[in-house]
Amino acid sequence: MKVCHVVALPYPGRGHINPLMNLCKLLVSRRPDILITFLVTEEWLDFMGSETKPKNIQFATVPNVIPSELVHANNFFAFLEAVFTKMEASFEKVLDEFEFASLITI
């Protein structure tokens, strides 16, 4: 069976992580031939804890190259700039580590 590998990268802020995880769970419940790598910052992986997830959802992390979730509201524009500039290289590095023929990002 051919497996479709999806990389899901939520915006790293409150209110974005859980909805995307719920969508991922819905996708794999309907299509067992999908493998989802849920990509978050190291900090967000710690926040998520040990929530039960389907076996075809795996986690990967990018380094904490953006201001912490705990303080980013102090300078939201600096946080946005970091998300749009500093996360790209880390995201591409993680993608380079995967070995797959095609990629769908959501």
Side-chain angles (χ1 to χ4, degrees):
M1 176 190 315
K2 187 174 180 179
V3 174
C4 175
H5 190 169
V6 177
V7 176
L9 175 66
Y11 176 80
R14 294 186 191 275
H16 298 268
I17 309 287
N18 288 335
L20 187 56
M21 176 56 76
N22 290 339
L23 175 63
C24 291
K25 288 177 179 179
L26 182 63
L27 285 172
V28 299
S29 73
R30 295 184 181 194
R31 295 284 308 268
D33 59 335
I34 294 177
L35 169 65
I36 296 179
T37 299
F38 200 80
L39 187 59
V40 293
T41 63
E42 293 166 345
E43 179 182 47
W44 268 106
L45 185 62
D46 288 342
F47 289 154
M48 294 174 74
S50 59
E51 178 185 332
T52 306
K53 61 179 178 36
K55 65 180 180 180
N56 45 346
I57 295 179
Q58 62 186 8
F59 288 105
T61 61
V62 294
N64 293 322
V65 295
I66 58 175
S68 171
E69 173 67 21
L70 302 174
V71 298
H72 82 258
N74 296 338
N75 190 345
F76 188 70
F77 292 109
F79 174 76
L80 280 177
E81 182 179 347
V83 168
F84 293 127
T85 60
K86 295 181 180 178
M87 283 189 66
E88 182 178 4
S90 299
F91 176 70
E92 288 180 0
K93 183 177 179 186
V94 170
L95 290 182
D96 289 343
E97 294 173 3
F98 292 125
E99 294 180 21
F100 41 69
S102 62
L103 169 70
I104 302 169
T105 57
I106 58 173

XYZ file of all heavy atoms in Angstrom:
849
model
N 0.839 -1.173 0.000
C 0.000 0.000 0.000
C 0.889 1.242 0.000
O 1.809 1.360 0.777
C -0.899 0.013 1.245
C -1.721 1.260 1.349
S -2.630 1.552 2.902
C -3.356 0.009 3.284
N 0.590 2.183 -0.871
C 1.329 3.432 -0.929
C 0.822 4.352 0.172
O -0.371 4.482 0.397
C 1.142 4.088 -2.288
C 1.993 5.303 -2.490
C 1.868 5.818 -3.898
C 2.744 7.034 -4.053
N 2.685 7.575 -5.392
N 1.739 4.998 0.863
C 1.391 5.889 1.961
C 1.596 7.331 1.514
O 2.610 7.669 0.927
C 2.252 5.589 3.210
C 2.000 6.602 4.298
C 1.995 4.180 3.712
N 0.622 8.152 1.800
C 0.725 9.592 1.554
C 1.257 10.223 2.833
O 0.683 10.048 3.900
C -0.653 10.151 1.197
S -0.654 11.949 1.008
N 2.375 10.948 2.729
C 2.973 11.592 3.890
C 2.617 13.067 3.863
O 2.958 13.790 2.937
C 4.486 11.410 3.871
C 5.150 11.831 5.138
N 6.465 11.553 5.401
C 4.707 12.500 6.235
C 6.794 12.038 6.582
N 5.734 12.625 7.104
N 1.936 13.520 4.908
C 1.515 14.908 5.042
C 2.303 15.530 6.193
O 2.436 14.927 7.252
C -0.001 15.000 5.348
C -0.428 16.437 5.567
C -0.807 14.347 4.240
N 2.826 16.717 5.962
C 3.479 17.466 7.032
C 2.553 18.619 7.406
O 2.221 19.445 6.558
C 4.860 18.000 6.608
C 5.474 18.850 7.706
C 5.789 16.841 6.239
N 2.123 18.632 8.654
C 1.208 19.674 9.147
C 1.991 20.613 10.049
O 2.549 20.195 11.056
C 0.055 19.039 9.914
N 2.047 21.876 9.667
C 2.761 22.890 10.436
C 1.768 23.968 10.861
O 1.431 24.853 10.077
C 3.884 23.519 9.600
C 4.635 24.687 10.228
C 5.416 24.235 11.453
C 5.564 25.322 9.211
N 1.278 23.898 12.097
C 0.341 24.927 12.553
C 1.073 26.224 12.878
O 2.266 26.222 13.203
C -0.263 24.320 13.821
C 0.809 23.418 14.336
C 1.531 22.886 13.116
N 0.350 27.320 12.782
C 0.881 28.593 13.271
C 1.169 28.389 14.761
O 0.327 27.852 15.490
C -0.163 29.694 13.057
C 0.253 31.021 13.618
C 1.136 31.839 12.919
C -0.214 31.452 14.855
C 1.528 33.062 13.434
C 0.168 32.670 15.376
C 1.044 33.468 14.666
O 1.436 34.666 15.178
N 2.345 28.793 15.235
C 2.739 28.479 16.612
C 2.133 29.403 17.661
O 2.844 30.113 18.376
C 4.260 28.616 16.562
C 4.484 29.668 15.528
C 3.413 29.451 14.494
N 0.818 29.392 17.756
C 0.148 30.232 18.748
C -1.110 29.574 19.261
O -1.674 28.685 18.623
N -1.545 30.018 20.397
C -2.771 29.472 21.004
C -3.938 29.582 20.035
O -4.079 30.565 19.321
C -3.093 30.207 22.290
C -2.056 29.981 23.361
C -2.475 30.600 24.683
N -1.365 30.592 25.603
C -1.046 29.553 26.382
N -1.779 28.470 26.339
N -0.015 29.615 27.205
N -4.743 28.549 20.021
C -5.914 28.544 19.159
C -5.664 27.979 17.771
O -6.589 27.870 16.976
N -4.425 27.599 17.482
C -4.091 27.069 16.157
C -3.647 25.606 16.204
O -3.871 24.869 15.256
C -2.985 27.910 15.508
C -3.386 29.327 15.281
N -3.957 29.753 14.113
C -3.325 30.413 16.096
C -4.222 31.042 14.197
N -3.849 31.462 15.404
N -3.027 25.215 17.286
C -2.453 23.873 17.395
C -3.554 22.807 17.457
O -3.571 21.874 16.654
C -1.546 23.755 18.643
C -0.528 24.890 18.694
C -0.903 22.383 18.716
C 0.598 24.853 17.738
N -4.464 22.924 18.403
C -5.500 21.901 18.581
C -6.422 21.740 17.376
O -6.728 20.606 16.999
C -6.298 22.148 19.856
C -5.495 21.848 21.098
O -4.559 21.061 21.066
N -5.848 22.487 22.192
N -6.879 22.828 16.749
C -7.732 22.627 15.570
C -7.029 21.862 14.450
O -7.628 20.996 13.810
C -8.092 24.047 15.135
C -8.014 24.846 16.388
C -6.861 24.244 17.151
N -5.750 22.157 14.215
C -5.036 21.419 13.167
C -4.825 19.963 13.580
O -4.946 19.056 12.759
C -3.720 22.087 12.814
C -2.985 21.480 11.617
C -3.866 21.449 10.363
C -1.691 22.229 11.341
N -4.551 19.723 14.851
C -4.407 18.339 15.322
C -5.731 17.596 15.148
O -5.754 16.435 14.736
C -3.953 18.298 16.777
C -3.887 16.884 17.356
S -2.834 15.721 16.432
C -1.221 16.277 16.946
N -6.845 18.253 15.450
C -8.149 17.609 15.267
C -8.393 17.270 13.802
O -8.928 16.204 13.491
C -9.266 18.492 15.823
C -9.229 18.575 17.334
O -8.667 17.719 18.007
N -9.809 19.622 17.878
N -8.022 18.169 12.891
C -8.148 17.885 11.466
C -7.280 16.689 11.076
O -7.719 15.808 10.330
C -7.755 19.113 10.639
C -7.722 18.897 9.127
C -9.102 18.530 8.585
C -7.167 20.135 8.436
N -6.070 16.644 11.588
C -5.175 15.519 11.289
C -5.762 14.198 11.778
O -5.714 13.187 11.074
C -3.801 15.758 11.912
S -2.876 17.102 11.148
N -6.318 14.202 12.984
C -6.940 12.988 13.515
C -8.119 12.559 12.651
O -8.319 11.360 12.412
C -7.396 13.202 14.962
C -6.259 13.272 15.951
C -6.790 13.546 17.346
C -5.690 13.609 18.369
N -6.213 13.901 19.714
N -8.888 13.516 12.189
C -10.012 13.210 11.310
C -9.527 12.603 9.994
O -10.078 11.604 9.513
C -10.827 14.476 11.050
C -12.071 14.325 10.185
C -13.079 13.409 10.857
C -12.687 15.686 9.922
N -8.476 13.168 9.419
C -7.929 12.642 8.162
C -7.475 11.192 8.305
O -7.814 10.345 7.484
C -6.748 13.490 7.685
C -7.064 14.836 7.087
C -5.781 15.633 6.852
C -7.828 14.678 5.789
N -6.702 10.902 9.353
C -6.182 9.541 9.493
C -7.261 8.555 9.903
O -7.132 7.353 9.650
C -4.970 9.459 10.450
C -3.824 10.307 9.933
C -5.334 9.832 11.865
N -8.341 9.034 10.530
C -9.425 8.114 10.881
C -10.170 7.653 9.631
O -10.742 6.561 9.613
C -10.405 8.771 11.863
O -11.196 9.750 11.224
N -10.156 8.474 8.596
C -10.849 8.129 7.356
C -9.940 7.517 6.305
O -10.422 6.863 5.380
C -11.517 9.371 6.784
C -12.607 9.878 7.706
C -13.323 11.029 7.115
N -14.343 11.476 8.069
C -15.308 12.284 7.768
N -15.412 12.758 6.545
N -16.182 12.642 8.678
N -8.640 7.780 6.421
C -7.694 7.287 5.435
C -6.482 6.694 6.151
O -5.527 7.403 6.475
C -7.228 8.424 4.520
C -8.273 9.051 3.632
C -8.637 8.174 2.432
N -7.484 7.726 1.674
C -6.977 8.360 0.629
N -7.517 9.475 0.194
N -5.940 7.868 0.006
N -6.463 5.385 6.391
C -5.341 4.781 7.105
C -4.031 4.785 6.319
O -2.983 4.489 6.868
C -5.822 3.348 7.371
C -6.882 3.102 6.359
C -7.503 4.426 6.060
N -4.095 5.140 5.032
C -2.888 5.178 4.211
C -2.187 6.541 4.280
O -1.284 6.818 3.502
C -3.209 4.836 2.757
C -4.223 5.784 2.133
O -5.015 6.384 2.874
O -4.218 5.911 0.895
N -2.581 7.377 5.221
C -1.948 8.685 5.409
C -1.069 8.642 6.656
O -1.492 8.186 7.713
C -3.006 9.803 5.559
C -3.786 9.975 4.264
C -2.352 11.120 5.950
C -4.898 11.006 4.358
N 0.149 9.122 6.515
C 1.053 9.332 7.646
C 1.192 10.837 7.798
O 1.510 11.537 6.830
C 2.423 8.714 7.386
C 3.529 9.093 8.372
C 3.211 8.570 9.770
C 4.878 8.596 7.894
N 0.934 11.337 8.996
C 1.039 12.777 9.233
C 2.177 13.040 10.208
O 2.252 12.439 11.274
C -0.272 13.361 9.785
C -1.378 13.217 8.737
C -0.082 14.823 10.189
C -2.724 13.732 9.162
N 3.052 13.937 9.808
C 4.062 14.449 10.719
C 3.593 15.819 11.160
O 3.430 16.725 10.342
C 5.440 14.547 10.039
O 5.842 13.235 9.613
C 6.477 15.106 10.997
N 3.330 15.942 12.438
C 2.840 17.182 13.030
C 4.060 17.930 13.547
O 4.737 17.490 14.468
C 1.865 16.852 14.162
C 0.951 17.975 14.538
C -0.183 18.242 13.788
C 1.209 18.758 15.649
C -1.050 19.266 14.130
C 0.357 19.786 16.010
C -0.780 20.043 15.242
N 4.356 19.048 12.931
C 5.596 19.777 13.183
C 5.325 21.018 14.029
O 4.563 21.902 13.627
C 6.205 20.177 11.834
C 7.576 20.800 11.807
C 8.608 19.873 12.430
C 7.968 21.116 10.372
N 5.929 21.059 15.209
C 5.751 22.178 16.133
C 7.111 22.585 16.687
O 8.101 21.878 16.514
C 4.798 21.819 17.307
C 3.387 21.608 16.833
C 5.290 20.599 18.069
N 7.150 23.712 17.386
C 8.384 24.094 18.061
C 8.602 23.161 19.255
O 7.665 22.535 19.750
C 8.342 25.553 18.558
O 7.303 25.673 19.526
C 8.141 26.532 17.405
N 9.831 23.107 19.728
C 10.135 22.277 20.892
C 9.282 22.699 22.092
O 8.789 21.856 22.842
C 11.622 22.376 21.231
C 12.505 21.768 20.164
C 13.974 22.134 20.295
O 14.307 23.089 21.030
O 14.780 21.461 19.636
N 9.092 24.007 22.244
C 8.276 24.509 23.352
C 6.838 23.997 23.246
O 6.266 23.546 24.234
C 8.277 26.038 23.361
C 7.425 26.631 24.463
C 7.401 28.149 24.442
O 7.205 28.742 23.363
O 7.578 28.726 25.530
N 6.264 24.041 22.055
C 4.883 23.601 21.894
C 4.741 22.103 22.111
O 3.728 21.642 22.634
C 4.322 24.014 20.535
C 3.645 25.334 20.643
C 4.103 26.530 20.182
C 2.423 25.610 21.318
N 3.229 27.532 20.523
C 2.189 27.000 21.218
C 1.498 24.834 21.996
C 1.065 27.607 21.768
C 0.384 25.445 22.539
C 0.183 26.814 22.425
N 5.737 21.336 21.760
C 5.666 19.894 22.021
C 5.588 19.646 23.524
O 4.811 18.804 23.977
C 6.856 19.156 21.405
C 6.795 17.645 21.524
C 5.584 17.082 20.786
C 8.077 17.020 21.004
N 6.343 20.419 24.298
C 6.268 20.295 25.758
C 4.890 20.694 26.281
O 4.357 20.065 27.183
C 7.334 21.167 26.431
C 8.738 20.614 26.265
O 8.883 19.416 25.933
O 9.695 21.391 26.457
N 4.296 21.737 25.707
C 2.959 22.172 26.129
C 1.898 21.118 25.828
O 0.924 20.983 26.563
C 2.537 23.456 25.413
C 3.267 24.699 25.837
C 3.385 25.765 24.963
C 3.839 24.826 27.092
C 4.049 26.925 25.335
C 4.502 25.971 27.474
C 4.602 27.027 26.590
N 2.077 20.387 24.734
C 1.051 19.439 24.300
C 0.940 18.230 25.214
O -0.096 17.579 25.259
C 1.319 18.993 22.860
C 1.161 20.146 21.875
S 1.617 19.712 20.211
C 0.218 18.706 19.763
N 1.996 17.909 25.916
C 1.929 16.790 26.845
C 1.826 15.453 26.149
O 2.302 15.262 25.038
N 1.170 14.536 26.798
C 1.117 13.159 26.300
C -0.270 12.797 25.806
O -0.799 11.737 26.114
C 1.563 12.198 27.396
O 0.717 12.352 28.523
N -0.866 13.678 25.041
C -2.197 13.427 24.489
C -2.173 12.168 23.621
O -1.241 11.924 22.875
C -2.619 14.625 23.636
C -3.954 14.454 22.968
C -4.269 15.615 22.029
O -3.784 16.721 22.261
O -5.016 15.375 21.069
N -3.209 11.362 23.736
C -3.316 10.162 22.926
C -3.528 10.555 21.467
O -4.322 11.442 21.164
C -4.502 9.299 23.394
O -4.356 9.044 24.785
C -4.546 7.989 22.648
N -2.782 9.907 20.589
C -2.911 10.198 19.173
C -2.860 8.896 18.393
O -2.328 7.890 18.872
C -1.821 11.149 18.717
C -0.421 10.594 18.898
C 0.635 11.526 18.417
C 2.024 10.990 18.636
N 2.250 9.594 18.491
N -3.416 8.885 17.197
C -3.357 7.686 16.361
C -1.913 7.327 16.014
O -1.035 8.204 15.986
C -4.133 8.084 15.104
C -4.980 9.236 15.520
C -4.211 9.944 16.597
N -1.693 6.062 15.709
C -0.318 5.612 15.430
C 0.250 6.202 14.149
O 1.460 6.239 13.983
C -0.257 4.090 15.388
C -1.044 3.492 14.255
C -0.962 1.993 14.256
C -1.790 1.467 13.083
N -1.762 0.059 13.007
N -0.605 6.683 13.235
C -0.068 7.241 12.002
C 0.041 8.772 12.044
O 0.122 9.425 11.019
C -0.836 6.767 10.762
C -2.330 6.814 10.905
O -2.859 6.965 12.003
N -3.035 6.688 9.814
N 0.094 9.318 13.260
C 0.473 10.717 13.456
C 1.734 10.708 14.299
O 1.774 10.121 15.376
C -0.629 11.536 14.162
C -1.874 11.635 13.290
C -0.104 12.935 14.494
C -3.020 12.404 13.938
N 2.767 11.329 13.775
C 4.027 11.419 14.514
C 4.377 12.888 14.716
O 3.875 13.752 14.009
C 5.151 10.706 13.770
C 5.462 11.300 12.417
C 6.475 10.481 11.641
O 6.853 9.388 12.033
N 6.931 11.018 10.524
N 5.223 13.159 15.695
C 5.634 14.527 15.971
C 7.060 14.749 15.506
O 7.899 13.856 15.560
C 5.558 14.840 17.469
C 4.160 14.963 17.983
C 3.592 13.959 18.742
C 3.407 16.087 17.715
C 2.305 14.069 19.224
C 2.106 16.221 18.190
C 1.560 15.199 18.950
N 7.324 15.958 15.061
C 8.676 16.425 14.776
C 8.737 17.850 15.299
O 7.702 18.514 15.445
C 8.977 16.373 13.287
N 9.936 18.313 15.586
C 10.069 19.659 16.138
C 11.073 20.486 15.353
O 11.978 19.949 14.722
C 10.524 19.630 17.615
O 11.794 18.994 17.706
C 9.507 18.936 18.495
N 10.868 21.787 15.439
C 11.868 22.753 15.008
C 12.360 23.431 16.277
O 11.642 23.492 17.270
C 11.291 23.797 14.009
C 10.890 23.137 12.710
C 10.141 24.559 14.589
N 13.590 23.925 16.252
C 14.108 24.590 17.457
C 13.276 25.815 17.820
O 12.562 26.377 16.987
C 15.525 25.013 17.048
C 15.871 24.167 15.877
C 14.582 23.853 15.187
N 13.406 26.228 19.048
C 12.701 27.422 19.545
C 13.409 28.677 19.031
O 14.148 29.328 19.750
C 12.662 27.422 21.066
C 11.810 26.313 21.612
O 10.770 25.988 21.050
N 12.236 25.719 22.707
N 13.165 29.005 17.777
C 13.800 30.178 17.172
C 12.903 31.413 17.239
O 13.254 32.474 16.746
C 14.194 29.905 15.700
C 15.266 28.840 15.623
C 12.972 29.514 14.875
N 11.740 31.264 17.846
C 10.801 32.377 17.999
C 10.628 32.663 19.486
O 10.912 31.803 20.322
C 9.438 32.053 17.342
C 8.824 30.792 17.944
C 9.572 31.937 15.833
C 7.430 30.456 17.448
N 10.158 33.863 19.842
C 9.939 34.158 21.263
C 8.956 33.162 21.898
O 8.056 32.655 21.238
C 9.346 35.573 21.243
C 9.852 36.170 19.971
C 9.902 35.023 18.996
N 9.149 32.917 23.152
C 8.317 31.968 23.885
C 6.845 32.356 23.859
O 6.485 33.537 23.886
C 8.778 31.888 25.339
O 7.864 31.143 26.113
N 5.998 31.341 23.840
C 4.549 31.543 23.923
C 4.193 32.295 25.201
O 3.214 33.039 25.250
C 3.843 30.178 23.892
C 2.375 30.227 24.145
C 1.575 30.941 23.047
O 2.055 31.066 21.915
O 0.451 31.374 23.352
N 4.992 32.135 26.222
C 4.693 32.732 27.518
C 4.926 34.244 27.540
O 4.389 34.932 28.393
C 5.524 32.058 28.608
C 5.326 30.535 28.726
C 6.295 29.942 29.731
C 3.885 30.207 29.077
N 5.722 34.780 26.600
C 6.033 36.215 26.620
C 5.805 36.916 25.278
O 6.005 38.125 25.187
C 7.492 36.467 27.066
C 7.722 35.971 28.480
C 8.476 35.853 26.096
N 5.408 36.178 24.254
C 5.356 36.816 22.931
C 4.313 37.926 22.838
O 4.419 38.802 21.991
C 5.179 35.784 21.811
C 3.788 35.327 21.565
N 3.331 34.126 22.008
C 2.756 35.906 20.908
C 2.066 33.982 21.642
N 1.697 35.045 20.967
N 3.335 37.941 23.709
C 2.336 39.019 23.680
C 2.943 40.368 24.052
O 2.395 41.412 23.700
C 1.174 38.685 24.615
N 4.091 40.352 24.723
C 4.756 41.603 25.098
C 5.196 42.389 23.859
O 5.278 43.613 23.903
C 5.968 41.341 25.988
C 5.573 40.726 27.314
O 4.434 40.849 27.749
N 6.503 40.060 27.956
N 5.530 41.683 22.791
C 5.921 42.334 21.544
C 5.435 41.453 20.395
O 6.213 40.718 19.781
C 7.427 42.562 21.479
C 7.812 43.448 20.316
O 7.029 43.674 19.392
N 9.035 43.940 20.345
N 4.156 41.535 20.124
C 3.542 40.641 19.144
C 4.115 40.823 17.746
O 4.288 39.861 17.012
C 2.022 40.829 19.124
C 1.332 39.817 18.277
C 1.278 38.492 18.668
C 0.754 40.177 17.074
C 0.652 37.532 17.876
C 0.112 39.238 16.277
C 0.063 37.908 16.686
N 4.460 42.040 17.363
C 4.999 42.262 16.022
C 6.369 41.625 15.856
O 6.687 41.087 14.800
C 5.011 43.749 15.687
C 3.627 44.309 15.540
C 3.118 45.167 16.490
C 2.818 43.934 14.471
C 1.819 45.659 16.382
C 1.525 44.413 14.349
C 1.025 45.283 15.307
N 7.181 41.635 16.897
C 8.476 40.949 16.845
C 8.266 39.434 16.736
O 9.008 38.746 16.029
C 9.310 41.281 18.076
N 7.238 38.932 17.421
C 6.906 37.511 17.335
C 6.514 37.151 15.902
O 7.012 36.174 15.337
C 5.778 37.174 18.302
C 5.280 35.765 18.191
C 6.005 34.709 18.720
C 4.077 35.485 17.557
C 5.554 33.404 18.617
C 3.615 34.183 17.450
C 4.358 33.141 17.985
N 5.631 37.937 15.291
C 5.212 37.678 13.905
C 6.401 37.701 12.956
O 6.536 36.841 12.086
C 4.186 38.714 13.451
C 2.762 38.514 13.897
C 1.891 39.667 13.424
C 2.210 37.206 13.392
N 7.269 38.682 13.128
C 8.447 38.763 12.269
C 9.313 37.520 12.422
O 9.812 36.965 11.437
C 9.251 40.017 12.602
C 10.454 40.177 11.703
C 11.247 41.438 12.006
O 10.764 42.315 12.740
O 12.365 41.529 11.489
N 9.483 37.053 13.644
C 10.286 35.851 13.883
C 9.643 34.625 13.235
O 10.335 33.791 12.648
C 10.469 35.639 15.383
N 8.324 34.512 13.339
C 7.625 33.381 12.723
C 7.861 33.369 11.220
O 8.160 32.340 10.617
C 6.111 33.421 13.034
C 5.339 32.431 12.168
C 5.864 33.127 14.505
N 7.756 34.544 10.596
C 7.852 34.618 9.141
C 9.288 34.623 8.619
O 9.500 34.419 7.426
C 7.106 35.842 8.625
C 5.619 35.735 8.826
C 4.921 36.743 9.464
C 4.914 34.618 8.413
C 3.549 36.651 9.658
C 3.550 34.504 8.609
C 2.864 35.528 9.229
N 10.269 34.833 9.479
C 11.652 34.877 8.995
C 12.540 33.775 9.582
O 13.319 33.175 8.860
C 12.295 36.243 9.291
O 12.292 36.476 10.702
C 11.562 37.356 8.580
N 12.416 33.496 10.847
C 13.338 32.563 11.500
C 12.904 31.103 11.437
O 13.737 30.211 11.572
C 13.549 32.975 12.956
C 14.230 34.315 13.087
C 14.447 34.681 14.524
C 15.139 36.030 14.616
N 15.326 36.447 15.998
N 11.616 30.839 11.256
C 11.157 29.443 11.240
C 11.412 28.750 9.902
O 11.506 27.533 9.850
C 9.679 29.359 11.599
C 9.420 29.522 13.074
S 7.722 29.170 13.521
C 7.599 27.435 13.178
N 11.525 29.512 8.836
C 11.637 28.920 7.508
C 12.837 27.981 7.381
O 12.709 26.845 6.918
C 11.719 30.004 6.444
C 11.797 29.449 5.038
C 11.842 30.539 3.985
O 11.895 31.733 4.320
O 11.826 30.167 2.807
N 14.001 28.424 7.797
C 15.205 27.594 7.667
C 15.084 26.318 8.500
O 15.462 25.234 8.042
C 16.438 28.392 8.086
N 14.533 26.434 9.707
C 14.353 25.254 10.553
C 13.363 24.276 9.931
O 13.563 23.061 9.954
C 13.859 25.665 11.940
O 14.797 26.493 12.570
N 12.280 24.802 9.367
C 11.275 23.981 8.703
C 11.891 23.250 7.511
O 11.720 22.043 7.354
C 10.111 24.864 8.264
C 9.043 24.154 7.484
C 8.205 23.239 8.102
C 8.872 24.401 6.134
C 7.211 22.578 7.386
C 7.886 23.754 5.414
C 7.056 22.843 6.037
N 12.646 23.955 6.693
C 13.272 23.329 5.527
C 14.279 22.261 5.937
O 14.398 21.231 5.277
C 13.921 24.387 4.650
C 12.899 25.225 3.908
C 13.520 26.284 3.015
O 14.765 26.387 2.960
O 12.748 27.009 2.378
N 14.996 22.495 7.022
C 15.961 21.501 7.506
C 15.250 20.202 7.897
O 15.699 19.112 7.577
C 16.747 22.054 8.691
C 17.814 21.118 9.189
C 18.611 21.723 10.318
C 19.639 20.725 10.794
N 20.361 21.186 11.972
N 14.118 20.322 8.588
C 13.346 19.134 8.966
C 12.846 18.417 7.714
O 12.923 17.192 7.608
C 12.172 19.495 9.907
C 11.237 18.314 10.106
C 12.705 19.979 11.248
N 12.339 19.175 6.752
C 11.858 18.554 5.509
C 12.971 17.814 4.783
O 12.741 16.741 4.218
C 11.244 19.602 4.576
C 9.923 20.206 5.003
C 9.432 21.181 3.934
C 8.876 19.155 5.272
N 14.160 18.365 4.801
C 15.295 17.718 4.140
C 15.627 16.367 4.771
O 16.192 15.496 4.116
C 16.531 18.617 4.179
C 16.406 19.819 3.260
O 15.535 19.800 2.358
O 17.175 20.780 3.449
N 15.285 16.186 6.037
C 15.573 14.934 6.734
C 14.597 13.819 6.355
O 14.887 12.650 6.569
C 15.554 15.157 8.242
C 16.669 16.057 8.720
C 16.562 16.427 10.183
O 15.639 15.940 10.873
O 17.396 17.220 10.632
N 13.442 14.179 5.809
C 12.469 13.181 5.396
C 12.851 12.603 4.049
O 13.406 13.288 3.206
C 11.056 13.768 5.297
C 10.454 14.155 6.608
C 9.990 15.436 6.807
C 10.361 13.243 7.642
C 9.424 15.808 8.008
C 9.800 13.601 8.848
C 9.336 14.880 9.037
N 12.518 11.342 3.863
C 12.735 10.696 2.578
C 11.378 10.284 2.043
O 10.820 9.272 2.427
C 13.625 9.477 2.741
C 15.031 9.824 3.170
C 15.901 8.592 3.319
O 15.572 7.549 2.731
O 16.894 8.682 4.046
N 10.839 11.098 1.164
C 9.580 10.754 0.535
C 9.528 11.376 -0.843
O 10.197 12.354 -1.140
C 8.363 11.163 1.351
C 8.443 12.520 2.006
C 8.425 13.687 1.264
C 8.535 12.618 3.368
C 8.478 14.926 1.864
C 8.589 13.856 3.985
C 8.569 14.999 3.244
N 8.720 10.768 -1.680
C 8.657 11.177 -3.068
C 7.852 12.456 -3.264
O 8.197 13.307 -4.053
C 8.070 10.053 -3.921
N 6.734 12.581 -2.552
C 5.906 13.772 -2.726
C 5.494 14.299 -1.367
O 5.461 13.562 -0.397
C 4.671 13.445 -3.559
O 3.890 12.484 -2.900
N 5.200 15.563 -1.310
C 4.886 16.223 -0.048
C 3.651 17.080 -0.215
O 3.513 17.801 -1.189
C 6.071 17.094 0.367
C 5.867 18.059 1.515
C 5.721 17.290 2.830
C 7.030 19.008 1.607
N 2.760 16.977 0.742
C 1.596 17.854 0.803
C 1.696 18.597 2.119
O 1.818 17.978 3.174
C 0.277 17.040 0.767
C 0.197 16.196 -0.487
C -0.925 17.966 0.887
C -0.939 15.180 -0.456
N 1.678 19.907 2.107
C 1.693 20.663 3.353
C 0.351 21.337 3.541
O -0.252 21.797 2.581
C 2.812 21.736 3.368
O 2.634 22.599 2.249
C 4.175 21.098 3.316
N -0.115 21.329 4.797
C -1.365 22.013 5.115
C -1.139 22.956 6.260
O -0.199 22.838 6.989
C -2.508 21.020 5.444
C -2.115 20.119 6.611
C -2.880 20.221 4.238
C -3.232 19.236 7.090
